[in-house]
Amino acid sequence: MSLTFPLGLAILVGLLLTLVTKKIQLPNVTAYILIGVLIGPHLLNILNHETLASLGIIPEVALGFIAFSIGDEFELKTLKSIGKPALIITLFEALGAVLIVDTVTLLLGFPPAECLILGALAASTAPAATLMIVRQYKADGPLTRMLLPVVAADDAIGLITYSISISIAIGMMNHQAFSLVNTILFPIVKIIASLVLGIVLGLILSFIHRYFQIVMNRMSLCISFILIACALAKSFGLSDLLVCMALGSSYVNTRKDAQKVLSSINDWTYPLFILFFVLSGAELNLSALPKVGILGILYISLRFGGKWLGSYVGANISKQPSVVKNYIGFALMPQAGVAIGLATLVIKDMPGELGMEIQTIILSATLIYELIGPLSAKFALTQANEIHA
């Protein structure tokens, strides 16, 4: 059967389920993930493994558009008002999760290499889920304006901590000497290169933009650059999330009329985001949950505890209002794309039983986080009185 059938079915059934989830006040994201689990290869098998492999480009492209949209939050006038506090909160919440997961699991006697990698994977969040919830409920206010830059930036910290931790872990297992270049300098260079590539592409996009006056043409131009950015990032082994985020940020800071184009792109990409979450749900295997064990339960609880505590401390240090201090930690619970991608890398970087166990823990945690994370984010925005739809 043609791939167009499962694509159409995924969007249709996902939308129909939102009619039910709205009745019980669940976010749309939860509906899309649930329907993905239902029609995926582990239950009804409407979307089988072969189909999911054929559709692999959709999540990749969707993350590019999500990162591009989040780059809008790094507009200079926004950064001037929340830049330093956002950076402080990001550092504390991301590193708080890393340190708490590392420390507690090491003290409890789990294998050091496994503890280091799980701690590194705890840093990232799910910008896609957060962005969708903000859009669905038209959320706005101090918490929302602080939240989006934070969820965008902590993925960069997640990439750095993973690169450092995996190098240390592999060295420990192979009894290798510590290498400053491979462990710290190389990951930082990779991130800088990703940002530079995104900024350069954004400047080129901004230059060509002036030759097109119709919004739809400008929208098409942006879409072409996002696709090109994803391809170049993959070719050079860079982070497509960071490249597209820098592309979006560079574009909005060099074109005063960029917001109208971004609004059009947001409307156009909504079905793409539905597919992204349905396909993400289809990848989740419910049978993995019983295999998580004590370490998996610890990871799920310690990551959230580290996020909440770190963001609270960071918000206090940066003198943020109480709605940010008390609730931003709850909005940082979702975890998906980057963590799943890095968990897949673990299998390549550390083949064997240990790598498989780490991947199982992350995929199981993702299932739980993606189901209750959107509810937690909605709770935070509701308590902050920033939901307007």
Side-chain angles (χ1 to χ4, degrees):
M1 185 179 293
S2 171
L3 287 177
T4 54
F5 177 77
L7 286 175
L9 183 67
I11 295 175
L12 173 62
V13 182
L15 284 172
L16 290 175
L17 188 60
T18 61
L19 300 177
V20 178
T21 54
K22 282 179 181 176
K23 297 288 185 182
I24 53 177
Q25 298 184 332
L26 289 175
N28 289 347
V29 172
T30 304
Y32 303 143
I33 294 170
L34 284 173
I35 206 63
V37 173
L38 180 64
I39 67 176
H42 307 292
L43 287 179
L44 296 181
N45 201 34
I46 296 173
L47 293 177
N48 56 36
H49 288 293
E50 184 180 343
T51 302
L52 289 175
S54 302
L55 299 174
I57 192 173
I58 291 177
E60 181 182 325
V61 171
L63 282 172
F65 279 97
I66 289 163
F68 181 81
S69 297
I70 290 177
D72 181 31
E73 301 302 319
F74 291 92
E75 195 172 4
L76 287 177
K77 64 180 181 181
T78 304
L79 289 177
K80 286 178 182 178
S81 60
I82 63 168
K84 186 177 179 181
L87 179 60
I88 292 172
I89 293 173
T90 302
L91 287 171
F92 274 86
E93 59 90 3
L95 296 180
V98 173
L99 291 174
I100 286 181
V101 171
D102 279 347
T103 303
V104 175
T105 53
L106 284 168
L107 289 175
L108 291 175
F110 290 99
E114 191 171 16
C115 296
L116 284 173
I117 297 171
L118 284 175
L121 294 173
S124 64
T125 50
T130 307
L131 185 65
M132 284 284 280
I133 291 166
V134 168
R135 287 182 181 175
Q136 179 186 349
Y137 296 110
K138 296 181 172 63
D140 189 37
L143 174 60
T144 304
R145 288 191 288 270
M146 183 63 68
L147 175 62
L148 291 176
V150 169
V151 297
D154 69 2
D155 280 340
I157 296 178
L159 292 170
I160 295 173
T161 54
Y162 173 79
S163 300
I164 293 172
S165 297
I166 192 69
S167 297
I168 296 174
I170 292 173
M172 291 171 61
M173 295 184 68
N174 297 333
H175 306 290
Q176 296 173 346
F178 176 82
S179 170
L180 180 66
V181 173
N182 291 334
T183 304
I184 297 177
L185 294 183
F186 182 71
I188 293 175
V189 169
K190 190 174 179 180
I191 286 171
I192 293 173
S194 299
L195 295 174
V196 169
L197 175 60
I199 291 170
V200 170
L201 288 174
L203 293 174
I204 298 172
L205 169 61
S206 179
F207 176 77
I208 300 176
H209 168 107
R210 70 180 70 182
Y211 295 104
F212 297 93
Q213 303 303 318
I214 300 173
V215 172
M216 295 302 290
N217 286 339
R218 289 175 171 177
M219 182 190 77
S220 301
L221 183 66
C222 287
I223 292 171
S224 70
F225 267 78
I226 295 168
L227 296 175
I228 290 169
C230 290
L232 290 176
K234 193 171 184 179
S235 298
F236 295 128
L238 303 176
S239 167
D240 50 355
L241 280 175
L242 292 180
V243 172
C244 291
M245 190 174 68
L247 168 64
S249 178
S250 176
Y251 178 58
V252 297
N253 281 297
T254 51
R255 296 302 312 183
K256 293 181 180 179
D257 50 357
Q259 291 298 336
K260 186 180 290 187
V261 181
L262 287 169
S263 178
S264 299
I265 292 175
N266 292 341
D267 293 337
W268 181 85
T269 53
Y270 195 84
L272 180 64
F273 291 172
I274 294 176
L275 282 175
F276 171 77
F277 287 107
V278 172
L279 295 177
S280 296
E283 295 280 5
L284 300 177
N285 187 358
L286 294 175
S287 64
L289 286 176
K291 302 175 185 176
V292 168
I294 295 174
L295 183 57
I297 295 170
L298 281 171
Y299 171 81
I300 292 168
S301 55
L302 290 173
R303 175 187 172 271
F304 172 66
K307 289 276 180 186
W308 190 90
L309 181 62
S311 60
Y312 184 85
V313 172
N316 261 307
I317 291 174
S318 57
K319 297 181 173 58
Q320 293 304 295
S322 58
V323 291
V324 176
K325 287 190 291 187
N326 296 333
Y327 300 117
I328 193 169
F330 290 100
L332 294 171
M333 184 184 288
Q335 184 178 43
V338 174
I340 293 174
L342 292 177
T344 304
L345 283 179
V346 173
I347 300 294
K348 297 177 182 177
D349 295 334
M350 191 176 287
E353 187 177 337
L354 187 63
M356 289 295 294
E357 185 174 339
I358 291 170
Q359 188 184 51
T360 300
I361 290 172
I362 296 302
L363 291 177
S364 301
T366 297
L367 174 61
I368 294 170
Y369 279 135
E370 283 295 87
L371 292 176
I372 65 174
L375 297 175
S376 181
K378 182 190 173 186
F379 166 79
L381 295 172
T382 302
Q383 294 300 308
N385 198 30
E386 295 187 8
I387 285 182
H388 305 296

